[in-house]
Amino acid sequence: MRLFKFNPLTAKKVARFKQIRRGYYSFLAILALVAFSFFAELFINSRAIVVSYEGELYFPTYGAVIPGDTFGLGYSYETNYRELKERFEEEGSDNWVLLPIIPYNPYENNEYEGVFKPAPPSFSEGHWLGTDTTGRDIVARLFYGFRIAIFFSFAFLILTYLIGIAIGCLMGYFGGLFDLIGQRLIEIWSNLPFLYVVIIVFSVVPSSVPVSARIIILLTVMVMFSWMGMTYYMRTGAYKEKARDYVAAAEAIGASTTRVIFRHILPNTLATLVTFMPFTIVGAITAVTALDYLGFGLPPPTPSLGELLKQGTDNLTTAPWIVVSSFFTLVTILTLVAFVGEAIREAFDPKKFTVYR
Amino acid sequence: MKHFNLLKFTPLPILLLGGLLAGCSSKDESATPADPETQARIEAMKAEVQEYYQTKVSLPPELFEDLEAGRVTQEEVDKRIAAGEFPKFFNFKTPADLPDGLNWKDGSDLPEIGSPKAVKGGTSYSSIQDFPRTLRTIGPDANGSFRTYLLDYNALQIARQHPNSTELGEDGPLFFAELAEEWAVDKENQTVYVKLDPSARWSDGKAVTADDFLFMFFFMQSSYIKAPWYNNFYNRSYRGITKYDDQTFSIQVSIAKPDFATYALGLSPRPEHFYGELGDDFPERYQWRFEPTTGAYVIEEGDVRKGESIVFTRQKDWWAQDKRNIRYRYNYDKRRLQVVRDVEKAFEMFKKGELDAASLSLPKYWYDKLPDDDKLVEGGYIKKAVFYNQRPRPPYGMWINTAKPLLNDRNIRIGIQHASNWELVIDKYFRGDYERLNHTAVGYGEFTNPDIKARPFSIEKALESFAKAGFDKRGSDGILENSKGEKLSFSLTTGYQTFQEPLTIIKEEAAKAGLDLRLQVLDSTAGYKRAIEKQHDIHFMAWGYGAEMYPRYWETFHSLNAYNPDGSIKVQTNNLNSMAVPELDAMIEKYRNSSDTGEMIKLAHQMEQLIHDEAVFVPAFYIPFYRAGYWSWREYPEDFNVMTSDSPSEFSLSWMDPKKKREILDALKKGKTFEKSVKVYDQYKSAD
């Protein structure tokens, strides 16, 4: 039994989308990655999944830090589970440790040949893609970097669309002086140089602000300078729909402005909106990567694709695996999202045969 | 890093990556006849200067201390000046008034620096990270690293301290003549007499005279230049100047410090004829004008391409080119400085031969990016050199702001010391090449306290100390908390992008001791501003100390530079610790006014101990050498460089043969190889 039914038009669009294999599989792949990233801590982490010690079971992944003292290691900071595993194995006791597939977190520095420097990919060490310039595992940094980037861009998408749609629809619906003034204000606003604002804002943000708040500030600044694009489409959409009879009918039976805009006009302009979504995600990932690359993005040592890319280009000849893995990761993500975007656009296109075929 | 003690010290800019370049300067473009308005302005300034010479008096150093401490008011001082209580600063006498029995010297008995093999010619190619914001050498924005090329490495002084010797003669450090023909030191009256070299010329052809030195004092003391530090320095360090004739003058220094002669002999004149239009609009008016120089290099018209490059040209028939200690230096005909913002890109350009040299002081360059078995090194196209120098070491470390909550607790500061694992960084990241710094004043010979050792990384000791401050239990994230639920968390800021990686290691290690450091890496200007505005919790940086005889404490540790009289934080000073300890203040004042070497050494050791006990500075590391890679068409003297140099280019000792450059590039194409050269010059290696 289905919980809800699409209306026939939507169902047709969904079916059409599924038909476009490239886009559909890309969509599934991204969905899988996002779903996987919710549980990334179980697969890529320095914390063990399960520790069995003296007959008791410990699950360190999601809880508080378990100090080394708990397992008789004689230190009060977080247990090094890789060492613990080796120790248990050496002792040959009944204690055991189950480590994630990649037993490294994105922050810890691992030595290679006795120093902190990039190590080439090695399966035996568990560094599948090698390590970066201070010996941090690249898979871990890429994956957690991806997770931050994708959630960042979802948040970015939702916020820009909320603002863009609301203001765009209002301008289109009311028209006249409101539209005229709104348009001019947007023109002025969009002429502010975004990059300078980011630089200035981050130079005045006190360093006492924690990382999470800094990410929110970055998001806010980016949203502030990105919602304008959407207003143009929604404005034209609203203008067009407003002239239709059904809007006049709705108004005639006394529907409120909010109701007319959000129940009648908006659903009919949705097609435009949906097709833009994936490309906004691409844009947001690119923007946050670029900002990190330039050093104005997320504060170190937050894992990020842009920072890794920068390290890669800085060490092009001495550690090519850094740039290769970060470049391919970025290209893959962006390509997948773009494929989804193309497919959506085609699925929503009333003309069945288009160039996207 | 700056030269001698007549310059304000600045944050160490790009020591490791900066260039292997030498300095240069500029040319007067005001030769065109001035319009009537400007002419009137010049006349007015002339009158103002003369008036100043007549009225300026010299105040005793104690009075400055009293003024600063608020023991006397400016009005009282003004009254006493009006009453004629103080002697005049500018004095005019005749050669007959010169005292008898002066012991004139010219430093020609000292060994000469540079190599007689040096030839003139060729162009050197180097990079700078940022285009300079001004071509002035004083005033707003002039304190950047580009000043080095204009002034420090180029302009001549009356005499220069010999860079291969830190020993003391009867008059203090040993000097060789630059602008002077000879000089004499009168220790009793802390006065230095100078006879200028009659051939000394500004780059616009005008003679350098005693008047340029009188004017220098007017200039450096005037409010027009918008440089309060220099105003203060030139007011309180000197008692006066006396002109005997156009070539002869004497300068009296305020305090008979053991190296007081440096204060006089280290001076560079200012061209009076160039600064005729001086006024309140000085910063804008002179922003892109090149001051005529006494040094070898000038900037010719059209050689400043804003945002891109600057070319310095060696003057034809430069007046000092045959002078002892100068003749084998400043060898290139042209020096081209190209702006390359990305350090890694500059390094690749060097490997392609577009730049002549690169710093290899960072281990990743020395071992990974240009290893000894690199094709270019194996083939002898690029040479590598390690040079151990001897000089005050820039104090790389974490400056803790004691004005911030929790950081005002000494136990927390001691905990931070023990929680900072610089041993690991030096060992594993710098690959054991660098040395652990023990305190703020390393490399000053006897003045360096040998007994202080930096606190080692120790989780137990850190936890113990944090516990004393009430932080005794770990939260769920492993970070310590106190009973109020406050977290032990501070921001760690820096303007050095180069050192982001070691700082992330420090952060990870500190977490083991329950200390959370929130790392923030800013660009260099923003980072420096954050620190001198005292907005930081903990800031990582080093000061660029000059090759001075003894460390300075007033700027960095005196309470006057920490708090205003009303108790608010004093910004724009070098006291990054907001250090205000009365006992230390007293010692600093005594040290500052002391002329007894033994007493100064004792005080320096005591002050350093007190700073160590207060645990306000986490010493990180120092680099006992510099390393360079350079294309083999570039030549250096047999012993490579001089003892106190801080970079291969500081004393402009290198040279090149343009023919050889073509040969080498040609050989590289054809695969013809040369002898490999990786050399260690450890003749000046010492245990600091």
Side-chain angles (χ1 to χ4, degrees), chain B residues 172-383:
Chain B
L174 306 174
F175 296 89
F176 61 79
E178 285 196 340
L179 286 167
E181 190 170 55
E182 49 183 6
W183 69 87
V185 176
D186 174 1
K187 250 179 152 171
E188 249 162 67
N189 299 306
Q190 63 248 33
T191 303
V192 177
Y193 295 85
V194 180
K195 278 187 194 154
L196 287 174
D197 188 327
S199 57
R201 291 285 177 279
W202 294 103
S203 52
D204 57 6
K206 297 221 164 54
V208 179
T209 66
D211 288 328
D212 293 315
F213 284 89
L214 296 178
F215 178 76
M216 172 200 67
F217 278 108
F218 167 80
F219 184 76
M220 299 306 271
Q221 290 170 351
S222 93
S223 60
Y224 299 136
I225 61 171
K226 312 273 187 294
W229 188 89
Y230 287 95
N231 291 161
N232 181 40
F233 184 87
Y234 278 77
N235 262 311
R236 66 192 284 167
S237 305
Y238 301 94
R239 296 299 286 272
I241 178 167
T242 307
K243 176 182 171 181
Y244 294 93
D245 63 28
D246 273 352
Q247 308 298 327
T248 317
F249 60 94
S250 69
I251 289 170
Q252 192 184 17
V253 178
S254 291
I255 301 165
K257 291 281 197 195
D259 64 340
F260 80 89
T262 317
Y263 281 68
L265 295 174
L267 290 169
S268 294
R270 295 280 173 173
E272 182 171 7
H273 59 276
F274 175 72
Y275 285 112
E277 298 162 43
L278 198 62
D280 277 325
D281 59 355
F282 163 76
E284 301 84 47
R285 190 170 274 258
Y286 284 91
Q287 185 86 341
W288 295 107
R289 286 203 212 175
F290 316 114
E291 182 186 296
T293 179
T294 53
Y297 289 99
V298 295
I299 300 177
E300 292 185 338
E301 217 166 315
D303 281 348
V304 175
R305 297 177 61 192
K306 288 206 179 144
E308 286 176 33
S309 67
I310 293 186
V311 179
F312 289 96
T313 306
R314 193 161 48 86
Q315 298 182 53
K316 278 198 191 96
D317 306 319
W318 180 42
W319 72 271
Q321 64 189 6
D322 298 321
K323 220 171 156 143
R324 193 180 156 81
N325 273 315
I326 292 175
R327 57 188 165 177
Y328 306 133
R329 296 160 59 198
Y330 311 108
N331 300 312
Y332 302 105
D333 278 348
K334 285 192 186 283
R335 300 188 145 274
R336 188 165 186 278
L337 297 181
Q338 188 184 344
V339 176
V340 183
R341 288 178 208 282
D342 193 277
V343 178
E344 306 292 341
K345 186 183 167 195
F347 193 78
E348 293 305 319
M349 286 170 71
F350 158 64
K351 282 186 84 174
K352 283 173 75 184
E354 290 171 25
L355 301 174
D356 290 341
S359 167
L360 304 177
S361 288
L362 279 174
K364 67 174 173 183
Y365 292 109
W366 181 262
Y367 296 109
D368 298 337
K369 297 209 163 187
L370 193 67
D372 291 355
D373 57 4
D374 191 284
K375 187 184 82 155
L376 292 169
V377 181
E378 282 289 350
Y381 308 108
I382 288 181
K383 295 181 176 179

Side-chain angles (χ1 to χ4, degrees), chain A residues 65 111 116 133 207 214 314, chain B residues 369 428 476 491 501 520:
Chain A
V65 166
E111 41 182 88
F116 296 139
T133 47
S207 43
R214 302 182 73 81
D314 283 355
Chain B
K369 297 209 163 187
K428 303 272 161 149
S476 62
S491 70
E501 289 172 354
Q520 195 185 357

Side-chain angles (χ1 to χ4, degrees), chain B residues 378-448:
Chain B
E378 282 289 350
Y381 308 108
I382 288 181
K383 295 181 176 179
K384 288 172 77 177
V386 188
F387 182 82
Y388 285 86
N389 55 359
Q390 258 185 53
R391 65 190 330 278
R393 305 296 179 187
Y396 282 103
M398 292 149 64
W399 302 81
I400 301 173
N401 186 356
T402 61
K404 295 276 174 170
L406 297 180
L407 292 175
N408 53 11
D409 185 334
R410 199 173 78 99
N411 287 319
I412 291 201
R413 298 198 298 266
I414 291 178
I416 293 173
Q417 303 265 351
H418 286 299
S420 306
N421 200 348
W422 284 103
E423 293 98 317
L424 181 77
V425 169
I426 291 170
D427 206 32
K428 303 272 161 149
Y429 184 77
F430 294 132
R431 310 185 195 191
D433 289 357
Y434 296 179
E435 305 277 344
R436 179 80 202 255
L437 188 77
N438 284 316
H439 53 87
T440 68
V442 170
Y444 287 96
E446 285 183 300
F447 288 88
T448 297

Side-chain angles (χ1 to χ4, degrees), chain B residues 558-579:
Chain B
H558 198 282
S559 64
L560 275 175
N561 290 317
Y563 296 97
N564 291 316
D566 63 4
S568 60
I569 303 276
K570 187 164 179 180
V571 297
Q572 296 284 343
T573 73
N574 293 358
N575 191 338
L576 303 184
N577 299 123
S578 302
M579 188 83 161

Side-chain angles (χ1 to χ4, degrees), chain A residues 64-65 76-77 107 109 111 114-117 133-134 203 205 207-208 214 300-301 307 310 314-315 318, chain B residues 342 344 368-369 428 431 459 463 474 476-478 491 493 500-501 505 507-508 512 518-520 530:
Chain A
V65 166
S76 63
Y77 51 91
Y107 298 107
N109 311 104
E111 41 182 88
V115 288
F116 296 139
K117 67 174 188 180
T133 47
T134 50
S203 69
V205 170
S207 43
S208 54
R214 302 182 73 81
E307 191 245 11
K310 170 81 182 144
D314 283 355
N315 299 281
T318 47
Chain B
D342 193 277
E344 306 292 341
D368 298 337
K369 297 209 163 187
K428 303 272 161 149
R431 310 185 195 191
I459 293 170
L463 290 174
R474 286 180 189 257
S476 62
D477 52 358
S491 70
T493 46
Q500 174 174 326
E501 289 172 354
I505 299 171
K507 174 190 160 80
E508 291 303 304
K512 287 186 183 168
R518 294 184 309 267
L519 182 60
Q520 195 185 357
R530 179 71 56 96

Side-chain angles (χ1 to χ4, degrees), chain B residues 545-559:
Chain B
Y545 287 163
E548 293 177 328
M549 184 180 169
Y550 45 84
R552 298 186 202 174
Y553 287 94
W554 187 81
E555 285 91 342
T556 33
F557 295 108
H558 198 282
S559 64

Side-chain angles (χ1 to χ4, degrees), chain B residues 31-61:
Chain B
T32 44
D35 58 86
E37 197 184 323
T38 313
Q39 200 55 50
R41 197 177 157 128
I42 293 172
E43 291 304 322
M45 183 47 62
K46 265 188 194 156
E48 187 181 332
V49 171
Q50 290 307 321
E51 166 78 14
Y52 188 79
Y53 289 168
Q54 297 308 316
T55 52
K56 170 77 181 168
V57 297
S58 138
L59 303 177

